[in-house]
Amino acid sequence: MAELRSRRSNLAVPGSNPRFLEKAKGLGADQVFLDLEDACAPLAKPGARKNIVAALNEGGWGEKIRTVRVNDWTTEWTFTDVLEVVGGAGANLDCIMLPKVADAAQVQALDLLLTQIEKANGLEVGRIGIEAQIETAQGLINVNQIAFASPRIETIIFGPADFMASINMKSLVVGALHPDYAGDPFHYILMQILMAARARGVQAIDGPFLQVRDVDAFREVAKRSAVLGFDGKWVLHPGQVDAANEIYSPSQEDYDHAELILDAYDWATSEAGGKKGSAMLGDEMIDEASRKMALVIAGKGRAAGMQRSSTFTPPEG
Ligand code: GLV
Ligand code: MG
């Protein structure tokens, strides 16, 4: 996968609330998304567009990825959302998030609109990315085409709340396991999204967990997608930020181990190391596939700014 910036924590910020917009700047999330969709009441949307443009242009977001979630294409708002936000703050914006994506054509429509607004405003064409939210049965059956619909795609995101409504899933807590079902009811959905994202070389992001005061439960739910390989998760509350940053980073031990494998394998395959295609690192046999796995962990660790705490010493003799 290309070098992508970390998106371990994706903080949702309602565009209708200037106080929350201001507060979000100081939080430790890797990404913020300023919301014009479901966290904004219809009557508040025009004002929210203006708040978002002002907050983006004001700056102070540090290294955070700045995304705006517009309304979906079945509403009357999408066009004006994109026009006002990108026209007003396109230079200070990284991505547009498109919710409830149904098919590839909806992504292409946004791509065309973005291109035209970029041209009209003297912005670099193609710089603004697209984050596609999969939150309906139709979106999921089309997720492979959606992932490849535009070079702007940067993430595929799972939207559990809308998704559970879309498929009539019996719900207790959004995104959590259900006591009446022994398995993980979300496994299939998460895997479909992950396969599409990985085939396309973009990030896979897990959606929100609504019981915002229960950080332990958030951690349990987050681990389920982190272990599959997801790159991050939405956070709805400042209390969830640190947990997401931790859970979607490799542990220090795994990060160190990955860097060691890379060094050890590099050495083993070299002239000095005997041009070996497989080698022992302690009790572990490593080969080219180990290097690929290690690259993933090391890549996530490096993107998250981790420092290794061990060095490789070639074996004697
Ligand atoms: C997020 O948008 C969700 O529907 O879960
Ligand atoms: Mg949703």
Side-chain angles (χ1 to χ4, degrees):
M1 204 190 322
E3 285 288 309
L4 286 168
R5 288 196 277 167
S6 268
R7 280 184 168 94
R8 298 165 303 175
S9 48
N10 301 252
L11 179 68
V13 192
S16 50
N17 190 322
R19 195 168 57 82
F20 284 2
L21 286 167
E22 191 53 37
K23 183 162 182 215
K25 295 181 184 178
L27 298 175
D30 289 337
Q31 160 159 336
V32 288
F33 79 87
L34 314 182
D35 196 16
L36 287 170
E37 203 220 15
D38 287 355
C40 273
L43 290 177
K45 291 185 197 285
R49 291 177 186 134
K50 295 188 169 42
N51 296 339
I52 287 175
V53 167
L56 288 171
N57 288 338
E58 238 167 58
W61 297 95
E63 296 291 297
K64 291 180 184 52
I65 300 173
R66 301 149 302 173
T67 293
V68 173
R69 179 166 74 164
V70 297
N71 289 279
D72 81 86
W73 276 123
T74 65
T75 68
E76 65 270 46
W77 298 301
T78 324
F79 172 79
T80 317
D81 288 345
V82 180
L83 191 66
E84 283 201 22
V85 168
V86 180
N92 297 314
L93 171 71
D94 299 302
C95 286
I96 293 290
M97 186 186 297
L98 188 62
K100 302 182 179 68
V101 178
D103 53 29
Q106 292 194 338
V107 174
Q108 285 150 359
L110 177 59
D111 183 320
L112 289 171
L113 180 57
L114 281 170
T115 299
Q116 196 161 93
I117 300 170
E118 284 167 338
K119 283 183 182 167
N121 289 277
L123 299 164
E124 183 190 336
V125 173
R127 188 190 60 81
I128 296 175
I130 295 178
E131 305 202 25
Q133 240 195 310
I134 302 299
E135 26 189 6
T136 60
Q138 200 192 353
L140 192 69
I141 66 168
N142 290 326
V143 68
N144 295 343
Q145 292 90 314
I146 289 169
F148 284 87
S150 159
R152 295 182 190 261
I153 291 277
E154 292 193 18
T155 68
I156 311 288
I157 306 167
F158 177 41
D162 277 301
F163 202 96
M164 289 167 80
S166 164
I167 65 169
N168 298 3
M169 190 185 269
K170 188 172 170 183
S171 63
L172 276 182
V173 174
V174 167
L177 300 181
H178 196 285
D180 292 346
Y181 184 71
D184 176 350
F186 297 97
H187 184 74
Y188 170 79
I189 307 164
L190 290 170
M191 274 307 210
Q192 292 272 100
I193 289 173
L194 184 63
M195 292 310 118
R198 290 295 177 258
R200 170 66 174 74
V202 298
Q203 289 178 329
I205 305 296
D206 195 1
F209 180 67
L210 276 56
Q211 306 298 110
V212 293
R213 295 193 200 289
D214 192 346
V215 179
D216 289 340
F218 173 88
R219 298 179 76 91
E220 286 314 304
V221 172
K223 279 184 201 162
R224 184 188 54 198
S225 65
V227 85
L228 298 179
F230 270 65
D231 299 286
K233 183 171 178 63
W234 282 16
V235 294
L236 302 180
H237 188 271
Q240 297 176 331
V241 173
D242 288 349
N245 288 347
E246 180 197 317
I247 289 165
Y248 292 93
S249 301
S251 66
Q252 186 68 44
E253 192 186 342
D254 289 350
Y255 173 65
D256 284 338
H257 186 61
E259 294 284 13
L260 271 185
I261 290 176
L262 294 178
D263 287 348
Y265 195 65
D266 210 33
W267 187 80
T269 51
S270 73
E271 195 79 46
K275 296 183 276 187
K276 294 196 287 280
S278 67
M280 292 304 286
L281 176 65
D283 292 337
E284 184 183 3
M285 181 169 282
I286 59 171
D287 70 0
E288 177 58 29
S290 320
R291 190 185 69 87
K292 287 202 176 72
M293 290 192 292
L295 268 179
V296 172
I297 309 288
K300 284 193 183 189
R302 290 174 198 167
M306 294 177 79
Q307 303 295 325
R308 61 188 294 184
S309 54
S310 64
T311 49
F312 173 70
T313 337
E316 301 281 329

